[in-house]
Amino acid sequence: MNKFFAFFLIAIITMTGLNGQVWRRVTSPSHPSISDLFFVNNTTGWFCSSGGVVKKTTNAGVTWSEISFPSTDDLATIFFVDVNTGYTGGENQKIFKTTNGGESWTEIPVPQMSGNIVAIHFADANTGWMATTLSPNSQILRTTDGGTSWTVSITIAKIILDLTFKGTRGIASTSKLDMYYTHDGINWTQSTNATLPAGYTRSDIRGIYFYDENTAYATGWGSLIGLQPSIHIKSTDGGVTWQYMGQAVENRTYDNLYCIYFKDANNGVIIGGASKGTVAVRTTDGGVNWVPINIPCGVTIQCISGFGDQLFIGGNSGVLMSSTDFGNNWQLLTQIPSTNLNSIDAVTDNIIYTAGFNALFIKTTDGGATGHASFVRANNVSPTINDIYFTSENTGYAAHSYSMVSKTTDGGVTWTAVMKDTNAVTVSNAGVYFLNENLGWVTGKIANNVDVIHKTTDGGTTWTSQSNILQSNGRAVTFFDSNKGIMVGEKLKAAYTTDGGTTWIASVFNSLPPGTTTPALKNVTFRDANNAIAVGDNLILLSSDGGATWNYSPVNNLFESLSGVEFKDALNGWAVGSKNSAIRSTGLYQTTDGGSNWTNRANYAVFDTMVTLYEVSYTPSGDLWVSASSGIVYTTAVFNGTDDELTGIKDFSLRQNYPNPFNPTTTIVYNLDKRSRVTLKVFDVLGREIRTLIEGENEAGKHEVKFDGRDLSSGVYIYKLSTANGVISKKMSLIK
């Protein structure tokens, strides 16, 4: 279902630390969030995104090449007439055209005050339309000369959300259920709206699909708040009138739906989602009944393109997926979704798991050289994972929002909900801890400021629960053995137990720094039977009596909110977190004396302050792994020989680049036995020189050169090292 990928080694910067550890950033997000995508056939397609990003695939989404684009404005929509001619547009009333398949783009002037472009559609090479918004108004514009000039067809006092055509028949949807139609492509009329049942607080229509000149479908708003079913409406007269298509209770979804595709008159798919993961429904009777289907994805899907049974979808966090059997099975095309990784667990030196927002789950079984991304799906939902805990290489648990706890016994391949999800947005599980595969605890909240602690003795088959112990939201739980445990929460609350959680006693806080009120405590760990460490908003706390009392550990310039803490033994530990307000900073605090003294080891050559650190975990051999925002992971682990000493080099050699395959950067390492004149060049497979990386005298020793291929297309390239001792060349693969 999901592909393997090389963890992308972004930086190799030595940072002073215990045992001379070197921190590296080992993953990088593949794509920004996808605004829109368009395929002209079952292999060739494009997507657009924020920041003026446009990428193209010619192999059904397996690889994507970033296209040089003349603007950094956010793009919202993309449409291609054929494999060569296409249009994209977005903010600041800008629309761009390509006539060579996206290799180059030219901005097209549009009438002033048109606003942001939200949709583009062309009937042929000359005739097209676009919808623009400039709150509180919207316009629909028309061109008959391939976009050279545009005229305004209609201005309405509503926000247009989507626009689509079948020939010259068009439909536009708005944020207030109001629909507009045209049968000649020129004159627009407001439709007769569908009548919604009572109880809807909004009526946004976010997606439309014109199947033939008469039959059209539209979808949109849905919400768990008040259990407002996702809206389905249908027109059989070209958009003149619309009918609400109510669904059976067992088929109702309660999320926003965004995009529609029909392969024939009866069979269609609608996809969207938000709160508990991706939502997909399918009809086999022309939209009368929409039945939920399972899709192993957790993000909101914004766009769809299809050819018969083949589907392509894109959405938040840069997620792209495809199906070749009309949604029965899906393949994740994105190597690293750009979503927050809230938790990380290094089970062995080679097996590391990390998980987080939208239930993203990433696994490596070779110490970070390669990895496998997927989404945790249980009970047909994928709520955000707030914490994970593995008792072995195969058995693990995840604490989710919406009260769910999921379990895997096959290393994350499949998951089962051992505590079912709810529809209550204020119910959430935040922390999980297991002593063995059967005995464990989960903490969270059952309402705002009402904590809960769940306990299982049979691996999640049954649970006992207690609530309102902290009188705040529970955030983390840990146990030293089957009796001694601590839970912490928001508003500076903690409690401890000495009988396995049968009874909990409120902790006492001593010697807090001046001005401390009620900061949130976000994580806690034992370092031995009596001593524990808790971390939270701008503070580290120490306990020497199993959590009964806590004392402040003074740390110079601790500005960050710390959310992760881990100890290798009674003395050596790390705490991590970030400050996300101005002035931003990164906290990577190390102690070698049991927490009495801490030093921030964050080196900003490696740690970007725009990246939030969430959790830290030790491997059995002492390597550290840190999970962060945007799908980013850091480690001190050594792989691919990247931590070799600079002494003892005895020959002239060229190593394999790492990572390989790469996107967009990789590192080339070569060794010289003596001072030499060196040239290091990159060629394509036809022998054409692409770039000269090094040309000149080099001292003896080990040398590293970074190669950036962001301006190149995916493919195989050759790098060649030439010295007086000879010539060595190797191949490397750029995969976008």
Side-chain angles (χ1 to χ4, degrees):
M1 292 288 292
N2 298 307
K3 61 194 289 186
F4 278 80
F5 57 90
F7 270 35
F8 302 136
L9 193 57
I10 303 300
I12 306 176
I13 305 295
T14 301
M15 181 180 67
T16 302
L18 188 63
N19 299 326
Q21 288 162 324
V22 178
W23 282 98
R24 303 167 180 83
R25 173 173 157 177
V26 294
T27 61
S28 182
S30 300
H31 313 297
S33 289
I34 312 299
S35 302
D36 196 15
L37 61 78
F38 193 95
F39 276 74
V40 292
N41 53 47
N42 58 7
T43 59
T44 303
W46 300 258
F47 75 74
C48 65
S49 189
S50 59
V53 173
V54 177
K55 294 189 179 184
K56 178 181 180 179
T57 181
T58 56
N59 56 8
V62 176
T63 59
W64 294 83
S65 299
E66 185 166 351
I67 295 169
S68 178
F69 197 77
S71 171
T72 58
D73 290 310
D74 293 343
L75 300 174
T77 180
I78 192 165
F79 188 96
F80 271 74
V81 179
D82 52 39
V83 293
N84 293 313
T85 304
Y87 302 83
T88 186
E91 66 178 355
N92 297 324
Q93 58 194 45
K94 291 182 180 179
I95 186 170
F96 301 85
K97 179 179 181 179
T98 180
T99 56
N100 56 8
E103 295 305 312
S104 61
W105 296 82
T106 302
E107 184 177 352
I108 300 172
V110 296
Q112 291 298 308
M113 302 306 294
S114 296
N116 297 329
I117 298 167
V118 297
I120 300 170
H121 192 104
F122 272 75
D124 53 42
N126 294 313
T127 305
W129 301 263
M130 66 176 169
T132 68
T133 64
L134 185 63
S135 185
N137 299 319
S138 297
Q139 292 180 330
I140 298 175
L141 297 89
R142 178 172 178 259
T143 181
T144 56
D145 54 13
T148 301
S149 60
W150 296 84
T151 57
V152 177
S153 296
I154 186 174
T155 300
I156 60 175
K158 300 179 182 70
I159 300 299
I160 291 178
L161 298 179
D162 198 14
L163 172 75
T164 192
F165 276 79
K166 193 71 174 180
T168 58
R169 291 195 166 204
I171 298 172
S173 65
T174 74
S175 58
K176 297 184 182 297
L177 188 64
D178 294 330
M179 310 288 286
Y180 291 80
Y181 72 94
T182 179
H183 285 178
D184 60 9
I186 301 172
N187 301 292
W188 290 83
T189 305
Q190 186 170 349
S191 306
T192 300
N193 291 343
T195 301
L196 301 184
Y200 280 94
T201 59
R202 292 181 60 170
S203 54
D204 307 358
I205 301 299
R206 301 177 181 271
I208 322 166
Y209 190 87
F210 231 142
Y211 176 70
D212 57 34
E213 64 177 11
N214 291 313
T215 308
Y217 302 86
T219 191
W221 172 260
S223 177
L224 285 172
I225 300 175
L227 293 181
Q228 303 172 58
S230 307
I231 295 174
H232 298 277
I233 59 177
K234 180 178 180 179
S235 174
T236 56
D237 52 14
V240 178
T241 61
W242 292 87
Q243 178 185 0
Y244 177 78
M245 310 299 290
Q247 300 301 302
V249 173
E250 64 271 18
N251 291 336
R252 291 175 186 170
T253 59
Y254 300 92
D255 267 306
N256 291 321
L257 300 178
Y258 289 88
C259 48
I260 311 172
Y261 168 73
F262 271 75
K263 69 174 182 177
D264 56 40
N266 292 315
N267 294 280
V269 173
I270 296 179
I271 304 183
S275 54
K276 292 196 287 185
T278 307
V279 173
V281 294
R282 189 165 58 191
T283 183
T284 57
D285 55 13
V288 176
N289 295 287
W290 291 95
V291 179
I293 59 173
N294 189 46
I295 179 170
C297 185
V299 307
T300 298
I301 296 298
Q302 306 276 5
C303 44
I304 188 170
S305 190
F307 291 89
D309 285 339
Q310 188 161 14
L311 306 175
F312 300 94
I313 59 175
N316 291 353
S317 303
V319 167
L320 293 157
M321 301 185 77
S322 67
S323 172
T324 57
D325 55 10
F326 204 60
N328 291 322
N329 297 282
W330 294 88
Q331 179 184 9
L332 179 62
L333 302 174
T334 303
Q335 296 174 337
I336 301 283
S338 58
T339 195
N340 297 342
L341 297 172
N342 297 327
S343 183
I344 193 164
D345 193 352
V347 182
T348 70
D349 289 346
N350 290 318
I351 298 177
I352 297 96
Y353 300 102
T354 183
F357 197 69
N358 296 135
L360 176 64
F361 180 78
I362 301 176
K363 171 183 179 179
T364 179
T365 58
D366 52 16
T370 61
H372 181 214
S374 61
F375 289 91
V376 173
R377 193 77 171 178
N379 201 34
N380 203 24
V381 293
S382 297
T384 287
I385 295 173
N386 298 308
D387 197 17
I388 58 173
Y389 196 94
F390 275 75
T391 60
S392 67
E393 296 179 8
N394 293 315
T395 301
Y397 299 83
H400 298 254
S401 299
Y402 291 93
S403 192
M404 192 167 85
V405 177
S406 61
K407 177 181 180 179
T408 181
T409 56
D410 54 15
V413 177
T414 60
W415 295 81
T416 302
V418 293
M419 186 182 297
K420 296 293 181 65
D421 59 292
T422 73
N423 288 330
V425 296
T426 57
V427 179
S428 180
N429 290 322
V432 56
Y433 192 91
F434 272 72
L435 281 175
N436 53 55
E437 64 179 14
N438 292 314
L439 179 60
W441 297 262
V442 173
T443 189
K445 63 176 183 175
I446 55 174
N448 286 330
N449 297 317
V450 181
D451 58 277
V452 66
I453 183 80
H454 307 285
K455 179 181 179 180
T456 181
T457 58
D458 52 17
T461 302
T462 60
W463 297 85
T464 58
S465 304
Q466 299 178 62
S467 62
N468 214 25
I469 296 167
L470 303 177
Q471 297 181 343
S472 71
N473 300 327
R475 293 296 297 265
V477 60
T478 189
F479 271 74
F480 179 77
D481 55 29
S482 59
N483 292 314
K484 290 186 176 182
I486 302 170
M487 61 183 296
V488 298
E490 298 175 7
K491 298 185 177 181
L492 195 62
K493 295 294 182 70
Y496 69 99
T497 180
T498 57
D499 56 12
T502 301
T503 57
W504 291 87
I505 303 170
S507 302
V508 176
F509 296 92
N510 300 319
S511 66
L512 294 178
T516 299
T517 53
T518 55
L521 297 180
K522 296 184 175 181
N523 217 325
V524 61
T525 188
F526 278 98
R527 60 185 182 89
D528 58 34
N530 294 311
N531 290 282
I533 310 288
V535 299
D537 292 338
N538 314 112
L539 84 168
I540 298 175
L541 301 176
L542 309 179
S543 175
S544 59
D545 52 14
T549 60
W550 294 89
N551 294 292
Y552 173 63
S553 177
V555 182
N556 291 331
N557 300 316
L558 174 52
F559 304 116
E560 298 81 18
S561 176
L562 302 179
S563 54
V565 61
E566 177 96 337
F567 271 71
K568 181 176 67 172
D569 50 42
L571 296 177
N572 296 287
W574 292 76
V576 301
S578 298
K579 180 176 182 286
N580 293 329
S581 58
I583 301 172
R584 300 177 69 100
S585 61
T586 298
L588 190 73
Y589 292 92
Q590 180 190 21
T591 181
T592 58
D593 58 8
S596 297
N597 296 281
W598 298 83
T599 302
N600 192 352
R601 301 296 189 186
N603 184 322
Y604 291 123
V606 177
F607 293 91
D608 187 342
T609 59
M610 299 305 293
V611 175
T612 300
L613 305 188
Y614 288 110
E615 198 168 59
V616 58
S617 183
Y618 271 107
T619 65
S621 65
D623 290 325
L624 289 156
W625 289 80
V626 172
S627 62
S629 58
S630 301
I632 292 171
V633 175
Y634 300 93
T635 188
T636 61
V638 176
F639 46 88
N640 286 328
T642 62
D643 202 23
D644 290 350
E645 295 294 327
L646 296 179
T647 58
I649 298 169
K650 299 179 180 179
D651 58 0
F652 156 62
S653 64
L654 177 65
R655 298 186 183 184
Q656 186 64 51
N657 65 298
Y658 62 87
N660 188 45
F662 67 97
N663 177 25
T665 60
T666 189
T667 300
I668 298 170
V669 179
Y670 60 94
N671 301 321
L672 302 176
D673 60 349
K674 61 183 178 180
R675 179 181 173 89
S676 304
R677 181 170 179 80
V678 172
T679 60
L680 178 62
K681 295 185 177 184
V682 177
F683 301 85
D684 64 17
V685 291
L686 298 178
R688 295 174 297 197
E689 183 176 329
I690 300 299
R691 196 167 302 159
T692 298
L693 302 180
I694 296 292
E695 189 167 32
E697 292 287 327
N698 277 194
E699 297 295 333
K702 175 182 173 183
H703 300 266
E704 297 183 0
V705 180
K706 178 180 283 188
F707 173 63
D708 191 332
R710 70 181 65 243
D711 59 338
L712 300 176
S713 300
S714 295
V716 176
Y717 294 88
I718 298 165
Y719 57 101
K720 182 183 295 184
L721 179 69
S722 302
T723 75
N725 293 337
V727 177
I728 305 176
S729 62
K730 291 183 180 292
K731 294 180 180 180
M732 58 183 174
S733 297
L734 173 61
I735 297 180
K736 294 187 175 181

